Amino acid sequence: MPVASSRREIPGEISQTPGQPEAGTSTDLLEVRGLTLQYKTPQHLVTATYKVDFSVLEQDRYVILGPSGCGKSTLLKAVGGFMKPVEGSIRLRGREIGSPGPDRVMVFQEFEQLMPWKTVLQNVLFPMRISGRFRGKDAQERALSVIEKVKLSKFRDVYPHMLSGGMKMRVAIARAMAMEPDILLMDEPFAALDALTRRKMQEELLDLWDQVRFTLLFVTHSIEEAILVGSRILVLSPHPGRVRAELDASTLSLQTMDTPAFGALSQRIHGLLFEHETGTAQNKGGRA
Ligand code: ADP
Ligand code: MG
């Protein structure tokens, strides 16, 4: 995979037109354009997101950040192919997404996903075989290779309950990656964890990304988590979710948490999230 280009070089700078490709470039892996998503029930019409634009590049750690109810999970569902846009489009490698597919894999919280009666290797093999895409020796070799990539070779015959939380996440990611997806989707995977465990899991996820360089679309409502995990952050307004800004967090990490730059970006996101719907967010650049 080519290394993610940094089209938006200024740390923390707001992109004037989030997700709009520059002339002559078409390297976006996932392109979301003017995406409006709604739920229709007999009594109500709920608009979850309104005209959302963004693009995910190969090897991005792209974070969607916004308050509860702003449509983050709905967005991820639509990217997963489980929901059709009312307006706008979602393209993966230039092709409109119409239904769920193995090119987009959701990584759930480990405890929901791994089968306790299967070993690490069997857990990784299971969806490969069920999907019918990989069989016999080919499946086995592929599974062993991703298990090695996530540094769990020694634990391939171990059952999930014997692993730490971070290791279980590695298995869950290995299991997803064995299907050779273009993008991994994670919806608030650490939200239920205590603060220390959450930090450990964030570290594990970043270490794993360093080793494997997958493309990640990650949803959170935590500003700190967005900056830590994300290379770029899409800030959404409260319900219905509209794009407030797209910010570059690629230079900020666990090692720079105590720096003024980290604090400044955090402050700035805080301002964007709690700003009233004035439509002026795009004009407030240059403060990070
Ligand atoms: P988030 O993940 O950001 O918390 P959601 O995507 O879950 O937000 O929800 C966005 C909006 O859509 C909310 O107002 C929520 O109440 C509404 N919503 C979510 N799921 C459904 C559903 N199945 N039917 C009707 N409304 C829904
Ligand atoms: Mg949600």
Side-chain angles (χ1 to χ4, degrees), residues 203-236:
E203 280 177 34
E204 287 259 5
L205 181 64
L206 290 168
D207 283 352
L208 193 57
W209 183 87
D210 261 341
Q211 289 153 25
V212 185
R213 300 286 162 130
F214 45 85
T215 308
L216 179 64
L217 183 57
F218 184 102
V219 160
T220 183
H221 67 258
S222 154
I223 295 176
E224 185 187 88
E225 182 165 85
I227 301 175
L228 285 177
V229 170
S231 52
R232 288 190 291 146
I233 304 169
L234 189 75
V235 183
L236 293 183

mmCIF file of all heavy atoms in Angstrom, residues 203-236:
data_model
loop_
_atom_site.group_PDB
_atom_site.id
_atom_site.type_symbol
_atom_site.label_atom_id
_atom_site.label_comp_id
_atom_site.label_asym_id
_atom_site.label_seq_id
_atom_site.Cartn_x
_atom_site.Cartn_y
_atom_site.Cartn_z
ATOM 1 N N GLU A 203 -2.833 2.389 23.263
ATOM 2 C CA GLU A 203 -1.410 2.134 22.961
ATOM 3 C C GLU A 203 -1.250 0.909 22.075
ATOM 4 O O GLU A 203 -0.512 0.932 21.088
ATOM 5 C CB GLU A 203 -0.635 1.887 24.258
ATOM 6 C CG GLU A 203 -0.271 3.144 25.010
ATOM 7 C CD GLU A 203 0.434 2.815 26.339
ATOM 8 O OE1 GLU A 203 1.177 1.820 26.386
ATOM 9 O OE2 GLU A 203 0.207 3.539 27.295
ATOM 10 N N GLU A 204 -1.962 -0.153 22.424
ATOM 11 C CA GLU A 204 -1.882 -1.408 21.656
ATOM 12 C C GLU A 204 -2.323 -1.172 20.216
ATOM 13 O O GLU A 204 -1.723 -1.682 19.277
ATOM 14 C CB GLU A 204 -2.803 -2.472 22.276
ATOM 15 C CG GLU A 204 -2.283 -3.025 23.568
ATOM 16 C CD GLU A 204 -1.628 -4.398 23.401
ATOM 17 O OE1 GLU A 204 -1.509 -4.869 22.259
ATOM 18 O OE2 GLU A 204 -1.246 -4.975 24.423
ATOM 19 N N LEU A 205 -3.403 -0.420 20.073
ATOM 20 C CA LEU A 205 -3.932 -0.169 18.727
ATOM 21 C C LEU A 205 -2.913 0.605 17.890
ATOM 22 O O LEU A 205 -2.667 0.288 16.722
ATOM 23 C CB LEU A 205 -5.253 0.611 18.829
ATOM 24 C CG LEU A 205 -5.933 0.935 17.503
ATOM 25 C CD1 LEU A 205 -6.372 -0.341 16.785
ATOM 26 C CD2 LEU A 205 -7.150 1.841 17.716
ATOM 27 N N LEU A 206 -2.285 1.614 18.520
ATOM 28 C CA LEU A 206 -1.301 2.429 17.795
ATOM 29 C C LEU A 206 -0.049 1.615 17.466
ATOM 30 O O LEU A 206 0.506 1.736 16.365
ATOM 31 C CB LEU A 206 -0.955 3.682 18.608
ATOM 32 C CG LEU A 206 -2.097 4.697 18.683
ATOM 33 C CD1 LEU A 206 -1.817 5.760 19.724
ATOM 34 C CD2 LEU A 206 -2.362 5.330 17.326
ATOM 35 N N ASP A 207 0.392 0.778 18.413
ATOM 36 C CA ASP A 207 1.552 -0.099 18.149
ATOM 37 C C ASP A 207 1.263 -1.010 16.968
ATOM 38 O O ASP A 207 2.094 -1.202 16.087
ATOM 39 C CB ASP A 207 1.853 -0.989 19.369
ATOM 40 C CG ASP A 207 2.562 -0.210 20.454
ATOM 41 O OD1 ASP A 207 2.938 0.947 20.197
ATOM 42 O OD2 ASP A 207 2.716 -0.756 21.563
ATOM 43 N N LEU A 208 0.065 -1.562 16.997
ATOM 44 C CA LEU A 208 -0.315 -2.498 15.938
ATOM 45 C C LEU A 208 -0.370 -1.776 14.588
ATOM 46 O O LEU A 208 0.085 -2.306 13.569
ATOM 47 C CB LEU A 208 -1.686 -3.103 16.280
ATOM 48 C CG LEU A 208 -2.103 -4.299 15.465
ATOM 49 C CD1 LEU A 208 -1.067 -5.406 15.571
ATOM 50 C CD2 LEU A 208 -3.452 -4.826 15.972
ATOM 51 N N TRP A 209 -0.908 -0.572 14.608
ATOM 52 C CA TRP A 209 -0.970 0.204 13.362
ATOM 53 C C TRP A 209 0.450 0.476 12.845
ATOM 54 O O TRP A 209 0.705 0.378 11.645
ATOM 55 C CB TRP A 209 -1.732 1.520 13.563
ATOM 56 C CG TRP A 209 -1.851 2.283 12.272
ATOM 57 C CD1 TRP A 209 -2.820 2.153 11.329
ATOM 58 C CD2 TRP A 209 -0.932 3.263 11.788
ATOM 59 N NE1 TRP A 209 -2.558 2.984 10.268
ATOM 60 C CE2 TRP A 209 -1.414 3.679 10.527
ATOM 61 C CE3 TRP A 209 0.239 3.833 12.285
ATOM 62 C CZ2 TRP A 209 -0.760 4.648 9.752
ATOM 63 C CZ3 TRP A 209 0.888 4.787 11.520
ATOM 64 C CH2 TRP A 209 0.389 5.184 10.268
ATOM 65 N N ASP A 210 1.363 0.781 13.773
ATOM 66 C CA ASP A 210 2.759 1.013 13.387
ATOM 67 C C ASP A 210 3.351 -0.199 12.679
ATOM 68 O O ASP A 210 4.099 -0.071 11.724
ATOM 69 C CB ASP A 210 3.612 1.299 14.632
ATOM 70 C CG ASP A 210 3.837 2.782 14.822
ATOM 71 O OD1 ASP A 210 3.666 3.528 13.839
ATOM 72 O OD2 ASP A 210 4.170 3.169 15.951
ATOM 73 N N GLN A 211 2.991 -1.382 13.186
ATOM 74 C CA GLN A 211 3.546 -2.615 12.610
ATOM 75 C C GLN A 211 2.870 -3.000 11.304
ATOM 76 O O GLN A 211 3.509 -3.474 10.379
ATOM 77 C CB GLN A 211 3.371 -3.779 13.592
ATOM 78 C CG GLN A 211 4.258 -3.682 14.814
ATOM 79 C CD GLN A 211 3.649 -4.408 16.004
ATOM 80 O OE1 GLN A 211 2.861 -5.321 15.848
ATOM 81 N NE2 GLN A 211 4.004 -3.981 17.201
ATOM 82 N N VAL A 212 1.551 -2.808 11.239
ATOM 83 C CA VAL A 212 0.790 -3.402 10.133
ATOM 84 C C VAL A 212 0.298 -2.372 9.105
ATOM 85 O O VAL A 212 0.109 -2.694 7.939
ATOM 86 C CB VAL A 212 -0.405 -4.225 10.682
ATOM 87 C CG1 VAL A 212 -1.119 -4.947 9.576
ATOM 88 C CG2 VAL A 212 0.069 -5.225 11.740
ATOM 89 N N ARG A 213 0.057 -1.139 9.542
ATOM 90 C CA ARG A 213 -0.387 -0.053 8.659
ATOM 91 C C ARG A 213 -1.680 -0.341 7.920
ATOM 92 O O ARG A 213 -1.737 -0.267 6.689
ATOM 93 C CB ARG A 213 0.716 0.302 7.650
ATOM 94 C CG ARG A 213 2.003 0.772 8.291
ATOM 95 C CD ARG A 213 1.854 2.160 8.813
ATOM 96 N NE ARG A 213 2.896 2.461 9.764
ATOM 97 C CZ ARG A 213 3.654 3.560 9.718
ATOM 98 N NH1 ARG A 213 3.486 4.443 8.767
ATOM 99 N NH2 ARG A 213 4.547 3.777 10.652
ATOM 100 N N PHE A 214 -2.697 -0.704 8.671
ATOM 101 C CA PHE A 214 -4.014 -0.858 8.068
ATOM 102 C C PHE A 214 -4.679 0.516 7.962
ATOM 103 O O PHE A 214 -4.185 1.493 8.531
ATOM 104 C CB PHE A 214 -4.868 -1.823 8.898
ATOM 105 C CG PHE A 214 -4.797 -1.577 10.386
ATOM 106 C CD1 PHE A 214 -5.603 -0.637 10.994
ATOM 107 C CD2 PHE A 214 -3.873 -2.282 11.169
ATOM 108 C CE1 PHE A 214 -5.531 -0.401 12.353
ATOM 109 C CE2 PHE A 214 -3.794 -2.049 12.541
ATOM 110 C CZ PHE A 214 -4.616 -1.111 13.130
ATOM 111 N N THR A 215 -5.803 0.571 7.250
ATOM 112 C CA THR A 215 -6.578 1.809 7.184
ATOM 113 C C THR A 215 -7.725 1.689 8.180
ATOM 114 O O THR A 215 -8.430 0.689 8.193
ATOM 115 C CB THR A 215 -7.140 2.034 5.774
ATOM 116 O OG1 THR A 215 -6.071 1.940 4.844
ATOM 117 C CG2 THR A 215 -7.820 3.383 5.657
ATOM 118 N N LEU A 216 -7.851 2.720 9.004
ATOM 119 C CA LEU A 216 -8.806 2.652 10.109
ATOM 120 C C LEU A 216 -9.798 3.804 10.051
ATOM 121 O O LEU A 216 -9.411 4.957 9.875
ATOM 122 C CB LEU A 216 -8.012 2.708 11.436
ATOM 123 C CG LEU A 216 -8.791 2.673 12.739
ATOM 124 C CD1 LEU A 216 -9.527 1.346 12.896
ATOM 125 C CD2 LEU A 216 -7.850 2.877 13.929
ATOM 126 N N LEU A 217 -11.082 3.476 10.205
ATOM 127 C CA LEU A 217 -12.108 4.496 10.402
ATOM 128 C C LEU A 217 -12.664 4.258 11.803
ATOM 129 O O LEU A 217 -13.258 3.210 12.081
ATOM 130 C CB LEU A 217 -13.206 4.361 9.337
ATOM 131 C CG LEU A 217 -14.322 5.401 9.374
ATOM 132 C CD1 LEU A 217 -13.782 6.820 9.251
ATOM 133 C CD2 LEU A 217 -15.339 5.146 8.263
ATOM 134 N N PHE A 218 -12.414 5.215 12.693
ATOM 135 C CA PHE A 218 -12.616 5.015 14.135
ATOM 136 C C PHE A 218 -13.556 6.085 14.672
ATOM 137 O O PHE A 218 -13.358 7.275 14.426
ATOM 138 C CB PHE A 218 -11.232 5.121 14.788
ATOM 139 C CG PHE A 218 -11.174 4.844 16.268
ATOM 140 C CD1 PHE A 218 -10.708 3.609 16.727
ATOM 141 C CD2 PHE A 218 -11.531 5.805 17.203
ATOM 142 C CE1 PHE A 218 -10.611 3.344 18.094
ATOM 143 C CE2 PHE A 218 -11.440 5.546 18.574
ATOM 144 C CZ PHE A 218 -10.974 4.309 19.017
ATOM 145 N N VAL A 219 -14.571 5.661 15.388
ATOM 146 C CA VAL A 219 -15.550 6.596 15.937
ATOM 147 C C VAL A 219 -15.345 6.751 17.441
ATOM 148 O O VAL A 219 -15.152 5.760 18.142
ATOM 149 C CB VAL A 219 -16.978 6.056 15.642
ATOM 150 C CG1 VAL A 219 -18.004 6.672 16.566
ATOM 151 C CG2 VAL A 219 -17.352 6.292 14.190
ATOM 152 N N THR A 220 -15.391 7.992 17.912
ATOM 153 C CA THR A 220 -15.320 8.216 19.361
ATOM 154 C C THR A 220 -16.037 9.517 19.728
ATOM 155 O O THR A 220 -16.244 10.377 18.874
ATOM 156 C CB THR A 220 -13.852 8.283 19.851
ATOM 157 O OG1 THR A 220 -13.825 8.437 21.278
ATOM 158 C CG2 THR A 220 -13.086 9.440 19.234
ATOM 159 N N HIS A 221 -16.414 9.636 21.013
ATOM 160 C CA HIS A 221 -16.914 10.936 21.462
ATOM 161 C C HIS A 221 -15.907 11.587 22.414
ATOM 162 O O HIS A 221 -16.199 12.622 23.010
ATOM 163 C CB HIS A 221 -18.311 10.808 22.088
ATOM 164 C CG HIS A 221 -18.333 10.036 23.365
ATOM 165 N ND1 HIS A 221 -18.749 8.728 23.423
ATOM 166 C CD2 HIS A 221 -17.980 10.367 24.618
ATOM 167 C CE1 HIS A 221 -18.647 8.296 24.673
ATOM 168 N NE2 HIS A 221 -18.177 9.276 25.421
ATOM 169 N N SER A 222 -14.708 10.977 22.529
ATOM 170 C CA SER A 222 -13.696 11.543 23.417
ATOM 171 C C SER A 222 -12.682 12.362 22.619
ATOM 172 O O SER A 222 -12.053 11.854 21.686
ATOM 173 C CB SER A 222 -12.978 10.407 24.161
ATOM 174 O OG SER A 222 -11.678 10.806 24.541
ATOM 175 N N ILE A 223 -12.514 13.625 23.007
ATOM 176 C CA ILE A 223 -11.583 14.511 22.302
ATOM 177 C C ILE A 223 -10.161 13.952 22.416
ATOM 178 O O ILE A 223 -9.431 13.851 21.432
ATOM 179 C CB ILE A 223 -11.627 15.947 22.892
ATOM 180 C CG1 ILE A 223 -13.000 16.575 22.658
ATOM 181 C CG2 ILE A 223 -10.521 16.815 22.284
ATOM 182 C CD1 ILE A 223 -13.179 17.947 23.293
ATOM 183 N N GLU A 224 -9.792 13.551 23.651
ATOM 184 C CA GLU A 224 -8.436 13.039 23.864
ATOM 185 C C GLU A 224 -8.175 11.790 23.034
ATOM 186 O O GLU A 224 -7.140 11.655 22.379
ATOM 187 C CB GLU A 224 -8.241 12.728 25.348
ATOM 188 C CG GLU A 224 -6.834 12.304 25.673
ATOM 189 C CD GLU A 224 -6.713 11.834 27.113
ATOM 190 O OE1 GLU A 224 -6.929 10.646 27.377
ATOM 191 O OE2 GLU A 224 -6.401 12.678 27.963
ATOM 192 N N GLU A 225 -9.140 10.886 23.033
ATOM 193 C CA GLU A 225 -8.966 9.652 22.260
ATOM 194 C C GLU A 225 -8.858 9.956 20.765
ATOM 195 O O GLU A 225 -8.066 9.333 20.051
ATOM 196 C CB GLU A 225 -10.129 8.702 22.523
ATOM 197 C CG GLU A 225 -9.993 7.382 21.789
ATOM 198 C CD GLU A 225 -10.946 6.325 22.326
ATOM 199 O OE1 GLU A 225 -12.106 6.283 21.883
ATOM 200 O OE2 GLU A 225 -10.520 5.563 23.215
ATOM 201 N N ALA A 226 -9.641 10.931 20.309
ATOM 202 C CA ALA A 226 -9.594 11.295 18.887
ATOM 203 C C ALA A 226 -8.190 11.765 18.501
ATOM 204 O O ALA A 226 -7.641 11.367 17.473
ATOM 205 C CB ALA A 226 -10.628 12.378 18.585
ATOM 206 N N ILE A 227 -7.598 12.616 19.363
ATOM 207 C CA ILE A 227 -6.262 13.146 19.047
ATOM 208 C C ILE A 227 -5.216 12.039 19.121
ATOM 209 O O ILE A 227 -4.313 11.955 18.282
ATOM 210 C CB ILE A 227 -5.886 14.321 19.983
ATOM 211 C CG1 ILE A 227 -6.908 15.455 19.858
ATOM 212 C CG2 ILE A 227 -4.484 14.836 19.659
ATOM 213 C CD1 ILE A 227 -6.680 16.613 20.827
ATOM 214 N N LEU A 228 -5.350 11.165 20.140
ATOM 215 C CA LEU A 228 -4.364 10.079 20.293
ATOM 216 C C LEU A 228 -4.427 9.087 19.145
ATOM 217 O O LEU A 228 -3.417 8.733 18.549
ATOM 218 C CB LEU A 228 -4.621 9.324 21.601
ATOM 219 C CG LEU A 228 -4.200 10.014 22.874
ATOM 220 C CD1 LEU A 228 -4.584 9.169 24.072
ATOM 221 C CD2 LEU A 228 -2.688 10.257 22.853
ATOM 222 N N VAL A 229 -5.628 8.653 18.829
ATOM 223 C CA VAL A 229 -5.785 7.585 17.839
ATOM 224 C C VAL A 229 -5.701 8.125 16.413
ATOM 225 O O VAL A 229 -5.170 7.465 15.518
ATOM 226 C CB VAL A 229 -7.139 6.844 18.055
ATOM 227 C CG1 VAL A 229 -7.440 5.905 16.900
ATOM 228 C CG2 VAL A 229 -7.114 6.080 19.374
ATOM 229 N N GLY A 230 -6.182 9.346 16.201
ATOM 230 C CA GLY A 230 -6.372 9.816 14.832
ATOM 231 C C GLY A 230 -5.146 10.403 14.169
ATOM 232 O O GLY A 230 -4.318 11.039 14.814
ATOM 233 N N SER A 231 -5.035 10.180 12.864
ATOM 234 C CA SER A 231 -4.121 10.989 12.076
ATOM 235 C C SER A 231 -4.902 12.207 11.559
ATOM 236 O O SER A 231 -4.370 13.292 11.425
ATOM 237 C CB SER A 231 -3.523 10.190 10.917
ATOM 238 O OG SER A 231 -4.528 9.568 10.149
ATOM 239 N N ARG A 232 -6.188 11.998 11.288
ATOM 240 C CA ARG A 232 -7.065 13.116 10.959
ATOM 241 C C ARG A 232 -8.386 12.938 11.691
ATOM 242 O O ARG A 232 -8.816 11.821 11.939
ATOM 243 C CB ARG A 232 -7.311 13.176 9.453
ATOM 244 C CG ARG A 232 -6.045 13.651 8.729
ATOM 245 C CD ARG A 232 -6.326 13.953 7.290
ATOM 246 N NE ARG A 232 -6.618 12.774 6.536
ATOM 247 C CZ ARG A 232 -7.479 12.757 5.516
ATOM 248 N NH1 ARG A 232 -8.132 13.845 5.184
ATOM 249 N NH2 ARG A 232 -7.681 11.649 4.852
ATOM 250 N N ILE A 233 -8.985 14.069 12.018
ATOM 251 C CA ILE A 233 -10.213 14.040 12.823
ATOM 252 C C ILE A 233 -11.311 14.832 12.121
ATOM 253 O O ILE A 233 -11.118 15.993 11.770
ATOM 254 C CB ILE A 233 -9.970 14.669 14.210
ATOM 255 C CG1 ILE A 233 -8.816 13.967 14.928
ATOM 256 C CG2 ILE A 233 -11.234 14.626 15.055
ATOM 257 C CD1 ILE A 233 -8.355 14.698 16.189
ATOM 258 N N LEU A 234 -12.450 14.194 11.942
ATOM 259 C CA LEU A 234 -13.621 14.890 11.422
ATOM 260 C C LEU A 234 -14.496 15.240 12.616
ATOM 261 O O LEU A 234 -14.955 14.355 13.335
ATOM 262 C CB LEU A 234 -14.386 13.968 10.464
ATOM 263 C CG LEU A 234 -15.511 14.633 9.670
ATOM 264 C CD1 LEU A 234 -14.920 15.491 8.545
ATOM 265 C CD2 LEU A 234 -16.469 13.606 9.091
ATOM 266 N N VAL A 235 -14.689 16.542 12.825
ATOM 267 C CA VAL A 235 -15.497 16.980 13.962
ATOM 268 C C VAL A 235 -16.923 17.217 13.478
ATOM 269 O O VAL A 235 -17.151 18.005 12.560
ATOM 270 C CB VAL A 235 -14.924 18.275 14.592
ATOM 271 C CG1 VAL A 235 -15.736 18.675 15.824
ATOM 272 C CG2 VAL A 235 -13.456 18.101 14.955
ATOM 273 N N LEU A 236 -17.875 16.531 14.101
ATOM 274 C CA LEU A 236 -19.281 16.676 13.720
ATOM 275 C C LEU A 236 -20.037 17.506 14.749
ATOM 276 O O LEU A 236 -19.727 17.464 15.943
ATOM 277 C CB LEU A 236 -19.953 15.304 13.599
ATOM 278 C CG LEU A 236 -19.479 14.380 12.475
ATOM 279 C CD1 LEU A 236 -20.299 13.090 12.472
ATOM 280 C CD2 LEU A 236 -19.558 15.045 11.106
#
